[in-house]
PDB file of all heavy atoms in Angstrom:
ATOM      1  N   LEU Z   1     -14.561   6.526   5.245  1.00 95.00           N
ATOM      2  CA  LEU Z   1     -13.486   5.982   4.409  1.00 95.00           C
ATOM      3  C   LEU Z   1     -14.048   5.395   3.116  1.00 95.00           C
ATOM      4  O   LEU Z   1     -13.475   5.587   2.034  1.00 95.00           O
ATOM      5  CB  LEU Z   1     -12.699   4.915   5.178  1.00 95.00           C
ATOM      6  CG  LEU Z   1     -11.828   5.413   6.321  1.00 95.00           C
ATOM      7  CD1 LEU Z   1     -11.283   4.237   7.117  1.00 95.00           C
ATOM      8  CD2 LEU Z   1     -10.716   6.305   5.810  1.00 95.00           C
ATOM      9  N   HIS Z   2     -15.163   4.700   3.217  1.00 94.00           N
ATOM     10  CA  HIS Z   2     -15.776   4.065   2.049  1.00 94.00           C
ATOM     11  C   HIS Z   2     -16.182   5.114   1.008  1.00 94.00           C
ATOM     12  O   HIS Z   2     -15.834   4.988  -0.169  1.00 94.00           O
ATOM     13  CB  HIS Z   2     -16.993   3.259   2.516  1.00 94.00           C
ATOM     14  CG  HIS Z   2     -17.468   2.256   1.529  1.00 94.00           C
ATOM     15  ND1 HIS Z   2     -16.805   1.071   1.293  1.00 94.00           N
ATOM     16  CD2 HIS Z   2     -18.559   2.242   0.721  1.00 94.00           C
ATOM     17  CE1 HIS Z   2     -17.458   0.384   0.382  1.00 94.00           C
ATOM     18  NE2 HIS Z   2     -18.528   1.075   0.017  1.00 94.00           N
ATOM     19  N   VAL Z   3     -16.879   6.146   1.451  1.00 94.00           N
ATOM     20  CA  VAL Z   3     -17.342   7.187   0.529  1.00 94.00           C
ATOM     21  C   VAL Z   3     -16.157   7.985  -0.023  1.00 94.00           C
ATOM     22  O   VAL Z   3     -16.120   8.314  -1.213  1.00 94.00           O
ATOM     23  CB  VAL Z   3     -18.370   8.111   1.224  1.00 94.00           C
ATOM     24  CG1 VAL Z   3     -18.698   9.329   0.366  1.00 94.00           C
ATOM     25  CG2 VAL Z   3     -19.644   7.336   1.539  1.00 94.00           C
ATOM     26  N   THR Z   4     -15.173   8.267   0.808  1.00 95.00           N
ATOM     27  CA  THR Z   4     -13.994   9.012   0.355  1.00 95.00           C
ATOM     28  C   THR Z   4     -13.263   8.267  -0.753  1.00 95.00           C
ATOM     29  O   THR Z   4     -12.947   8.836  -1.804  1.00 95.00           O
ATOM     30  CB  THR Z   4     -13.029   9.271   1.538  1.00 95.00           C
ATOM     31  OG1 THR Z   4     -13.711  10.056   2.518  1.00 95.00           O
ATOM     32  CG2 THR Z   4     -11.771   9.982   1.084  1.00 95.00           C
ATOM     33  N   PHE Z   5     -13.018   6.984  -0.556  1.00 95.00           N
ATOM     34  CA  PHE Z   5     -12.271   6.232  -1.560  1.00 95.00           C
ATOM     35  C   PHE Z   5     -13.110   5.922  -2.801  1.00 95.00           C
ATOM     36  O   PHE Z   5     -12.573   5.828  -3.901  1.00 95.00           O
ATOM     37  CB  PHE Z   5     -11.626   4.985  -0.940  1.00 95.00           C
ATOM     38  CG  PHE Z   5     -10.375   5.334  -0.202  1.00 95.00           C
ATOM     39  CD1 PHE Z   5     -10.408   5.702   1.130  1.00 95.00           C
ATOM     40  CD2 PHE Z   5      -9.157   5.359  -0.863  1.00 95.00           C
ATOM     41  CE1 PHE Z   5      -9.251   6.074   1.797  1.00 95.00           C
ATOM     42  CE2 PHE Z   5      -7.991   5.723  -0.206  1.00 95.00           C
ATOM     43  CZ  PHE Z   5      -8.037   6.081   1.127  1.00 95.00           C
ATOM     44  N   ALA Z   6     -14.430   5.825  -2.645  1.00 93.00           N
ATOM     45  CA  ALA Z   6     -15.293   5.679  -3.817  1.00 93.00           C
ATOM     46  C   ALA Z   6     -15.236   6.952  -4.652  1.00 93.00           C
ATOM     47  O   ALA Z   6     -15.184   6.898  -5.897  1.00 93.00           O
ATOM     48  CB  ALA Z   6     -16.732   5.381  -3.387  1.00 93.00           C
ATOM     49  N   ALA Z   7     -15.216   8.105  -3.995  1.00 93.00           N
ATOM     50  CA  ALA Z   7     -15.121   9.383  -4.716  1.00 93.00           C
ATOM     51  C   ALA Z   7     -13.769   9.516  -5.426  1.00 93.00           C
ATOM     52  O   ALA Z   7     -13.699  10.007  -6.554  1.00 93.00           O
ATOM     53  CB  ALA Z   7     -15.328  10.543  -3.746  1.00 93.00           C
ATOM     54  N   ILE Z   8     -12.707   9.049  -4.782  1.00 92.00           N
ATOM     55  CA  ILE Z   8     -11.381   9.075  -5.409  1.00 92.00           C
ATOM     56  C   ILE Z   8     -11.375   8.219  -6.676  1.00 92.00           C
ATOM     57  O   ILE Z   8     -10.880   8.639  -7.723  1.00 92.00           O
ATOM     58  CB  ILE Z   8     -10.296   8.609  -4.413  1.00 92.00           C
ATOM     59  CG1 ILE Z   8     -10.079   9.665  -3.326  1.00 92.00           C
ATOM     60  CG2 ILE Z   8      -8.979   8.292  -5.130  1.00 92.00           C
ATOM     61  CD1 ILE Z   8      -9.241   9.187  -2.145  1.00 92.00           C
ATOM     62  N   ALA Z   9     -11.948   7.025  -6.588  1.00 90.00           N
ATOM     63  CA  ALA Z   9     -11.999   6.134  -7.757  1.00 90.00           C
ATOM     64  C   ALA Z   9     -12.816   6.757  -8.875  1.00 90.00           C
ATOM     65  O   ALA Z   9     -12.398   6.771 -10.034  1.00 90.00           O
ATOM     66  CB  ALA Z   9     -12.586   4.778  -7.360  1.00 90.00           C
ATOM     67  N   MET Z  10     -13.983   7.288  -8.536  1.00 91.00           N
ATOM     68  CA  MET Z  10     -14.835   7.895  -9.557  1.00 91.00           C
ATOM     69  C   MET Z  10     -14.142   9.113 -10.178  1.00 91.00           C
ATOM     70  O   MET Z  10     -14.199   9.306 -11.393  1.00 91.00           O
ATOM     71  CB  MET Z  10     -16.171   8.301  -8.959  1.00 91.00           C
ATOM     72  CG  MET Z  10     -17.157   8.812  -9.983  1.00 91.00           C
ATOM     73  SD  MET Z  10     -18.735   9.078  -9.175  1.00 91.00           S
ATOM     74  CE  MET Z  10     -19.730   9.508 -10.570  1.00 91.00           C
ATOM     75  N   GLY Z  11     -13.486   9.907  -9.353  1.00 91.00           N
ATOM     76  CA  GLY Z  11     -12.775  11.082  -9.861  1.00 91.00           C
ATOM     77  C   GLY Z  11     -11.639  10.703 -10.799  1.00 91.00           C
ATOM     78  O   GLY Z  11     -11.437  11.340 -11.830  1.00 91.00           O
ATOM     79  N   GLY Z  12     -10.916   9.649 -10.448  1.00 88.00           N
ATOM     80  CA  GLY Z  12      -9.819   9.193 -11.310  1.00 88.00           C
ATOM     81  C   GLY Z  12     -10.321   8.711 -12.664  1.00 88.00           C
ATOM     82  O   GLY Z  12      -9.732   9.007 -13.706  1.00 88.00           O
ATOM     83  N   ILE Z  13     -11.416   7.982 -12.635  1.00 89.00           N
ATOM     84  CA  ILE Z  13     -11.989   7.491 -13.892  1.00 89.00           C
ATOM     85  C   ILE Z  13     -12.536   8.655 -14.711  1.00 89.00           C
ATOM     86  O   ILE Z  13     -12.322   8.728 -15.925  1.00 89.00           O
ATOM     87  CB  ILE Z  13     -13.073   6.426 -13.613  1.00 89.00           C
ATOM     88  CG1 ILE Z  13     -12.432   5.174 -13.018  1.00 89.00           C
ATOM     89  CG2 ILE Z  13     -13.839   6.081 -14.890  1.00 89.00           C
ATOM     90  CD1 ILE Z  13     -13.415   4.171 -12.475  1.00 89.00           C
ATOM     91  N   ALA Z  14     -13.226   9.579 -14.064  1.00 91.00           N
ATOM     92  CA  ALA Z  14     -13.773  10.743 -14.771  1.00 91.00           C
ATOM     93  C   ALA Z  14     -12.652  11.588 -15.385  1.00 91.00           C
ATOM     94  O   ALA Z  14     -12.740  12.001 -16.545  1.00 91.00           O
ATOM     95  CB  ALA Z  14     -14.623  11.590 -13.825  1.00 91.00           C
ATOM     96  N   LEU Z  15     -11.596  11.828 -14.627  1.00 91.00           N
ATOM     97  CA  LEU Z  15     -10.458  12.595 -15.146  1.00 91.00           C
ATOM     98  C   LEU Z  15      -9.853  11.901 -16.363  1.00 91.00           C
ATOM     99  O   LEU Z  15      -9.563  12.552 -17.380  1.00 91.00           O
ATOM    100  CB  LEU Z  15      -9.400  12.770 -14.054  1.00 91.00           C
ATOM    101  CG  LEU Z  15      -8.123  13.479 -14.522  1.00 91.00           C
ATOM    102  CD1 LEU Z  15      -8.395  14.961 -14.722  1.00 91.00           C
ATOM    103  CD2 LEU Z  15      -6.999  13.268 -13.536  1.00 91.00           C
ATOM    104  N   THR Z  16      -9.682  10.601 -16.251  1.00 88.00           N
ATOM    105  CA  THR Z  16      -9.104   9.847 -17.361  1.00 88.00           C
ATOM    106  C   THR Z  16      -9.986   9.922 -18.597  1.00 88.00           C
ATOM    107  O   THR Z  16      -9.510  10.181 -19.703  1.00 88.00           O
ATOM    108  CB  THR Z  16      -8.879   8.371 -16.955  1.00 88.00           C
ATOM    109  OG1 THR Z  16      -7.997   8.352 -15.826  1.00 88.00           O
ATOM    110  CG2 THR Z  16      -8.271   7.569 -18.083  1.00 88.00           C
ATOM    111  N   LEU Z  17     -11.292   9.703 -18.408  1.00 90.00           N
ATOM    112  CA  LEU Z  17     -12.226   9.694 -19.544  1.00 90.00           C
ATOM    113  C   LEU Z  17     -12.374  11.046 -20.211  1.00 90.00           C
ATOM    114  O   LEU Z  17     -12.381  11.149 -21.433  1.00 90.00           O
ATOM    115  CB  LEU Z  17     -13.603   9.234 -19.069  1.00 90.00           C
ATOM    116  CG  LEU Z  17     -13.864   7.756 -19.026  1.00 90.00           C
ATOM    117  CD1 LEU Z  17     -15.219   7.482 -18.391  1.00 90.00           C
ATOM    118  CD2 LEU Z  17     -13.806   7.152 -20.407  1.00 90.00           C
ATOM    119  N   TRP Z  18     -12.554  12.086 -19.401  1.00 92.00           N
ATOM    120  CA  TRP Z  18     -12.945  13.380 -19.958  1.00 92.00           C
ATOM    121  C   TRP Z  18     -11.806  14.376 -20.110  1.00 92.00           C
ATOM    122  O   TRP Z  18     -11.986  15.416 -20.738  1.00 92.00           O
ATOM    123  CB  TRP Z  18     -14.065  13.971 -19.127  1.00 92.00           C
ATOM    124  CG  TRP Z  18     -15.298  13.093 -19.182  1.00 92.00           C
ATOM    125  CD1 TRP Z  18     -15.808  12.480 -20.281  1.00 92.00           C
ATOM    126  CD2 TRP Z  18     -16.130  12.723 -18.101  1.00 92.00           C
ATOM    127  NE1 TRP Z  18     -16.910  11.755 -19.945  1.00 92.00           N
ATOM    128  CE2 TRP Z  18     -17.153  11.874 -18.607  1.00 92.00           C
ATOM    129  CE3 TRP Z  18     -16.141  13.016 -16.741  1.00 92.00           C
ATOM    130  CZ2 TRP Z  18     -18.156  11.336 -17.814  1.00 92.00           C
ATOM    131  CZ3 TRP Z  18     -17.151  12.467 -15.956  1.00 92.00           C
ATOM    132  CH2 TRP Z  18     -18.141  11.646 -16.495  1.00 92.00           C
ATOM    133  N   ALA Z  19     -10.614  14.058 -19.578  1.00 92.00           N
ATOM    134  CA  ALA Z  19      -9.487  14.976 -19.727  1.00 92.00           C
ATOM    135  C   ALA Z  19      -8.270  14.292 -20.355  1.00 92.00           C
ATOM    136  O   ALA Z  19      -7.733  14.774 -21.346  1.00 92.00           O
ATOM    137  CB  ALA Z  19      -9.109  15.581 -18.379  1.00 92.00           C
ATOM    138  N   LEU Z  20      -7.856  13.182 -19.800  1.00 91.00           N
ATOM    139  CA  LEU Z  20      -6.623  12.544 -20.263  1.00 91.00           C
ATOM    140  C   LEU Z  20      -6.763  11.945 -21.658  1.00 91.00           C
ATOM    141  O   LEU Z  20      -5.955  12.241 -22.547  1.00 91.00           O
ATOM    142  CB  LEU Z  20      -6.175  11.470 -19.267  1.00 91.00           C
ATOM    143  CG  LEU Z  20      -4.887  10.744 -19.657  1.00 91.00           C
ATOM    144  CD1 LEU Z  20      -3.705  11.711 -19.676  1.00 91.00           C
ATOM    145  CD2 LEU Z  20      -4.626   9.581 -18.718  1.00 91.00           C
ATOM    146  N   ILE Z  21      -7.760  11.101 -21.866  1.00 89.00           N
ATOM    147  CA  ILE Z  21      -7.904  10.427 -23.166  1.00 89.00           C
ATOM    148  C   ILE Z  21      -8.056  11.429 -24.312  1.00 89.00           C
ATOM    149  O   ILE Z  21      -7.359  11.312 -25.327  1.00 89.00           O
ATOM    150  CB  ILE Z  21      -9.049   9.389 -23.128  1.00 89.00           C
ATOM    151  CG1 ILE Z  21      -8.636   8.216 -22.225  1.00 89.00           C
ATOM    152  CG2 ILE Z  21      -9.403   8.892 -24.528  1.00 89.00           C
ATOM    153  CD1 ILE Z  21      -9.736   7.198 -21.963  1.00 89.00           C
ATOM    154  N   PRO Z  22      -8.922  12.462 -24.187  1.00 92.00           N
ATOM    155  CA  PRO Z  22      -9.002  13.444 -25.275  1.00 92.00           C
ATOM    156  C   PRO Z  22      -7.696  14.212 -25.496  1.00 92.00           C
ATOM    157  O   PRO Z  22      -7.322  14.507 -26.632  1.00 92.00           O
ATOM    158  CB  PRO Z  22     -10.114  14.391 -24.833  1.00 92.00           C
ATOM    159  CG  PRO Z  22     -10.932  13.619 -23.866  1.00 92.00           C
ATOM    160  CD  PRO Z  22      -9.971  12.698 -23.185  1.00 92.00           C
ATOM    161  N   THR Z  23      -6.986  14.511 -24.413  1.00 93.00           N
ATOM    162  CA  THR Z  23      -5.727  15.243 -24.531  1.00 93.00           C
ATOM    163  C   THR Z  23      -4.658  14.402 -25.230  1.00 93.00           C
ATOM    164  O   THR Z  23      -3.872  14.925 -26.024  1.00 93.00           O
ATOM    165  CB  THR Z  23      -5.233  15.687 -23.136  1.00 93.00           C
ATOM    166  OG1 THR Z  23      -6.237  16.521 -22.553  1.00 93.00           O
ATOM    167  CG2 THR Z  23      -3.928  16.458 -23.228  1.00 93.00           C
ATOM    168  N   LEU Z  24      -4.632  13.107 -24.963  1.00 92.00           N
ATOM    169  CA  LEU Z  24      -3.637  12.237 -25.592  1.00 92.00           C
ATOM    170  C   LEU Z  24      -3.800  12.186 -27.112  1.00 92.00           C
ATOM    171  O   LEU Z  24      -2.835  11.929 -27.827  1.00 92.00           O
ATOM    172  CB  LEU Z  24      -3.709  10.822 -25.006  1.00 92.00           C
ATOM    173  CG  LEU Z  24      -3.233  10.680 -23.560  1.00 92.00           C
ATOM    174  CD1 LEU Z  24      -3.415   9.247 -23.080  1.00 92.00           C
ATOM    175  CD2 LEU Z  24      -1.784  11.125 -23.411  1.00 92.00           C
ATOM    176  N   LYS Z  25      -4.993  12.456 -27.589  1.00 92.00           N
ATOM    177  CA  LYS Z  25      -5.233  12.482 -29.043  1.00 92.00           C
ATOM    178  C   LYS Z  25      -4.615  13.713 -29.700  1.00 92.00           C
ATOM    179  O   LYS Z  25      -4.451  13.748 -30.902  1.00 92.00           O
ATOM    180  CB  LYS Z  25      -6.733  12.426 -29.334  1.00 92.00           C
ATOM    181  CG  LYS Z  25      -7.348  11.094 -28.956  1.00 92.00           C
ATOM    182  CD  LYS Z  25      -8.838  11.093 -29.201  1.00 92.00           C
ATOM    183  CE  LYS Z  25      -9.431   9.758 -28.769  1.00 92.00           C
ATOM    184  NZ  LYS Z  25     -10.874   9.729 -28.865  1.00 92.00           N
ATOM    185  N   GLU Z  26      -4.273  14.708 -28.882  1.00 94.00           N
ATOM    186  CA  GLU Z  26      -3.733  15.969 -29.395  1.00 94.00           C
ATOM    187  C   GLU Z  26      -2.211  16.031 -29.401  1.00 94.00           C
ATOM    188  O   GLU Z  26      -1.640  16.998 -29.880  1.00 94.00           O
ATOM    189  CB  GLU Z  26      -4.282  17.141 -28.571  1.00 94.00           C
ATOM    190  CG  GLU Z  26      -5.787  17.269 -28.640  1.00 94.00           C
ATOM    191  CD  GLU Z  26      -6.329  18.309 -27.673  1.00 94.00           C
ATOM    192  OE1 GLU Z  26      -5.529  19.000 -26.998  1.00 94.00           O
ATOM    193  OE2 GLU Z  26      -7.560  18.416 -27.591  1.00 94.00           O
ATOM    194  N   VAL Z  27      -1.550  15.015 -28.848  1.00 93.00           N
ATOM    195  CA  VAL Z  27      -0.086  15.011 -28.801  1.00 93.00           C
ATOM    196  C   VAL Z  27       0.450  13.916 -29.718  1.00 93.00           C
ATOM    197  O   VAL Z  27      -0.296  13.085 -30.219  1.00 93.00           O
ATOM    198  CB  VAL Z  27       0.440  14.814 -27.346  1.00 93.00           C
ATOM    199  CG1 VAL Z  27      -0.031  15.952 -26.452  1.00 93.00           C
ATOM    200  CG2 VAL Z  27       0.017  13.484 -26.771  1.00 93.00           C
ATOM    201  N   SER Z  28       1.755  13.933 -29.932  1.00 94.00           N
ATOM    202  CA  SER Z  28       2.367  12.939 -30.814  1.00 94.00           C
ATOM    203  C   SER Z  28       2.139  11.529 -30.267  1.00 94.00           C
ATOM    204  O   SER Z  28       2.020  11.340 -29.051  1.00 94.00           O
ATOM    205  CB  SER Z  28       3.872  13.203 -30.938  1.00 94.00           C
ATOM    206  OG  SER Z  28       4.519  12.884 -29.729  1.00 94.00           O
ATOM    207  N   PRO Z  29       2.102  10.538 -31.151  1.00 91.00           N
ATOM    208  CA  PRO Z  29       1.890   9.157 -30.697  1.00 91.00           C
ATOM    209  C   PRO Z  29       2.940   8.697 -29.679  1.00 91.00           C
ATOM    210  O   PRO Z  29       2.613   7.969 -28.741  1.00 91.00           O
ATOM    211  CB  PRO Z  29       1.968   8.338 -31.985  1.00 91.00           C
ATOM    212  CG  PRO Z  29       1.616   9.291 -33.071  1.00 91.00           C
ATOM    213  CD  PRO Z  29       2.116  10.631 -32.608  1.00 91.00           C
ATOM    214  N   GLU Z  30       4.190   9.130 -29.859  1.00 93.00           N
ATOM    215  CA  GLU Z  30       5.243   8.733 -28.921  1.00 93.00           C
ATOM    216  C   GLU Z  30       4.978   9.327 -27.536  1.00 93.00           C
ATOM    217  O   GLU Z  30       5.097   8.647 -26.522  1.00 93.00           O
ATOM    218  CB  GLU Z  30       6.625   9.181 -29.413  1.00 93.00           C
ATOM    219  CG  GLU Z  30       7.052   8.569 -30.734  1.00 93.00           C
ATOM    220  CD  GLU Z  30       6.465   9.299 -31.956  1.00 93.00           C
ATOM    221  OE1 GLU Z  30       6.069  10.495 -31.842  1.00 93.00           O
ATOM    222  OE2 GLU Z  30       6.380   8.665 -33.016  1.00 93.00           O
ATOM    223  N   SER Z  31       4.638  10.619 -27.509  1.00 92.00           N
ATOM    224  CA  SER Z  31       4.338  11.273 -26.233  1.00 92.00           C
ATOM    225  C   SER Z  31       3.100  10.660 -25.589  1.00 92.00           C
ATOM    226  O   SER Z  31       3.069  10.426 -24.374  1.00 92.00           O
ATOM    227  CB  SER Z  31       4.107  12.770 -26.437  1.00 92.00           C
ATOM    228  OG  SER Z  31       5.278  13.391 -26.874  1.00 92.00           O
ATOM    229  N   ALA Z  32       2.094  10.402 -26.409  1.00 90.00           N
ATOM    230  CA  ALA Z  32       0.857   9.800 -25.891  1.00 90.00           C
ATOM    231  C   ALA Z  32       1.143   8.437 -25.262  1.00 90.00           C
ATOM    232  O   ALA Z  32       0.616   8.120 -24.193  1.00 90.00           O
ATOM    233  CB  ALA Z  32      -0.175   9.672 -27.008  1.00 90.00           C
ATOM    234  N   ALA Z  33       1.993   7.642 -25.909  1.00 88.00           N
ATOM    235  CA  ALA Z  33       2.326   6.311 -25.388  1.00 88.00           C
ATOM    236  C   ALA Z  33       3.071   6.419 -24.059  1.00 88.00           C
ATOM    237  O   ALA Z  33       2.772   5.688 -23.107  1.00 88.00           O
ATOM    238  CB  ALA Z  33       3.152   5.533 -26.404  1.00 88.00           C
ATOM    239  N   THR Z  34       4.022   7.345 -23.981  1.00 92.00           N
ATOM    240  CA  THR Z  34       4.791   7.533 -22.747  1.00 92.00           C
ATOM    241  C   THR Z  34       3.893   7.989 -21.608  1.00 92.00           C
ATOM    242  O   THR Z  34       3.954   7.444 -20.496  1.00 92.00           O
ATOM    243  CB  THR Z  34       5.916   8.571 -22.970  1.00 92.00           C
ATOM    244  OG1 THR Z  34       6.748   8.121 -24.031  1.00 92.00           O
ATOM    245  CG2 THR Z  34       6.737   8.782 -21.720  1.00 92.00           C
ATOM    246  N   ILE Z  35       3.073   8.986 -21.889  1.00 91.00           N
ATOM    247  CA  ILE Z  35       2.150   9.508 -20.862  1.00 91.00           C
ATOM    248  C   ILE Z  35       1.160   8.419 -20.441  1.00 91.00           C
ATOM    249  O   ILE Z  35       0.923   8.203 -19.255  1.00 91.00           O
ATOM    250  CB  ILE Z  35       1.410  10.758 -21.377  1.00 91.00           C
ATOM    251  CG1 ILE Z  35       2.401  11.913 -21.553  1.00 91.00           C
ATOM    252  CG2 ILE Z  35       0.286  11.157 -20.424  1.00 91.00           C
ATOM    253  CD1 ILE Z  35       1.841  13.101 -22.317  1.00 91.00           C
ATOM    254  N   SER Z  36       0.598   7.737 -21.412  1.00 85.00           N
ATOM    255  CA  SER Z  36      -0.389   6.693 -21.139  1.00 85.00           C
ATOM    256  C   SER Z  36       0.189   5.582 -20.272  1.00 85.00           C
ATOM    257  O   SER Z  36      -0.449   5.121 -19.318  1.00 85.00           O
ATOM    258  CB  SER Z  36      -0.914   6.122 -22.449  1.00 85.00           C
ATOM    259  OG  SER Z  36      -1.897   5.166 -22.201  1.00 85.00           O
ATOM    260  N   GLN Z  37       1.409   5.144 -20.573  1.00 85.00           N
ATOM    261  CA  GLN Z  37       2.043   4.088 -19.777  1.00 85.00           C
ATOM    262  C   GLN Z  37       2.292   4.554 -18.348  1.00 85.00           C
ATOM    263  O   GLN Z  37       2.052   3.807 -17.391  1.00 85.00           O
ATOM    264  CB  GLN Z  37       3.352   3.644 -20.428  1.00 85.00           C
ATOM    265  CG  GLN Z  37       3.151   2.832 -21.674  1.00 85.00           C
ATOM    266  CD  GLN Z  37       4.457   2.597 -22.422  1.00 85.00           C
ATOM    267  OE1 GLN Z  37       5.511   3.102 -22.047  1.00 85.00           O
ATOM    268  NE2 GLN Z  37       4.374   1.818 -23.502  1.00 85.00           N
ATOM    269  N   GLY Z  38       2.772   5.779 -18.182  1.00 88.00           N
ATOM    270  CA  GLY Z  38       3.035   6.310 -16.843  1.00 88.00           C
ATOM    271  C   GLY Z  38       1.773   6.466 -16.024  1.00 88.00           C
ATOM    272  O   GLY Z  38       1.711   6.074 -14.852  1.00 88.00           O
ATOM    273  N   VAL Z  39       0.739   7.010 -16.657  1.00 87.00           N
ATOM    274  CA  VAL Z  39      -0.528   7.195 -15.954  1.00 87.00           C
ATOM    275  C   VAL Z  39      -1.150   5.839 -15.624  1.00 87.00           C
ATOM    276  O   VAL Z  39      -1.646   5.631 -14.516  1.00 87.00           O
ATOM    277  CB  VAL Z  39      -1.500   8.065 -16.787  1.00 87.00           C
ATOM    278  CG1 VAL Z  39      -2.903   8.043 -16.198  1.00 87.00           C
ATOM    279  CG2 VAL Z  39      -0.985   9.488 -16.876  1.00 87.00           C
ATOM    280  N   SER Z  40      -1.116   4.911 -16.575  1.00 82.00           N
ATOM    281  CA  SER Z  40      -1.697   3.576 -16.342  1.00 82.00           C
ATOM    282  C   SER Z  40      -1.019   2.874 -15.166  1.00 82.00           C
ATOM    283  O   SER Z  40      -1.693   2.252 -14.340  1.00 82.00           O
ATOM    284  CB  SER Z  40      -1.575   2.711 -17.590  1.00 82.00           C
ATOM    285  OG  SER Z  40      -2.424   3.184 -18.596  1.00 82.00           O
ATOM    286  N   ARG Z  41       0.289   2.978 -15.099  1.00 84.00           N
ATOM    287  CA  ARG Z  41       1.024   2.336 -14.009  1.00 84.00           C
ATOM    288  C   ARG Z  41       0.615   2.949 -12.665  1.00 84.00           C
ATOM    289  O   ARG Z  41       0.283   2.239 -11.716  1.00 84.00           O
ATOM    290  CB  ARG Z  41       2.529   2.481 -14.241  1.00 84.00           C
ATOM    291  CG  ARG Z  41       3.384   1.718 -13.260  1.00 84.00           C
ATOM    292  CD  ARG Z  41       4.867   1.801 -13.587  1.00 84.00           C
ATOM    293  NE  ARG Z  41       5.377   3.163 -13.572  1.00 84.00           N
ATOM    294  CZ  ARG Z  41       5.714   3.869 -14.664  1.00 84.00           C
ATOM    295  NH1 ARG Z  41       5.614   3.334 -15.862  1.00 84.00           N
ATOM    296  NH2 ARG Z  41       6.153   5.093 -14.566  1.00 84.00           N
TER     297      ARG Z  41
END
């Protein structure tokens, strides 16, 4: 359980850093804000 949930946390952070944040720079500020708020929550 410990290793599984550590991998989930690391994967979520990696996805956010290397996929989500760069992608949000490519969409309109309004869309980026909406997506960012939903994902953050």
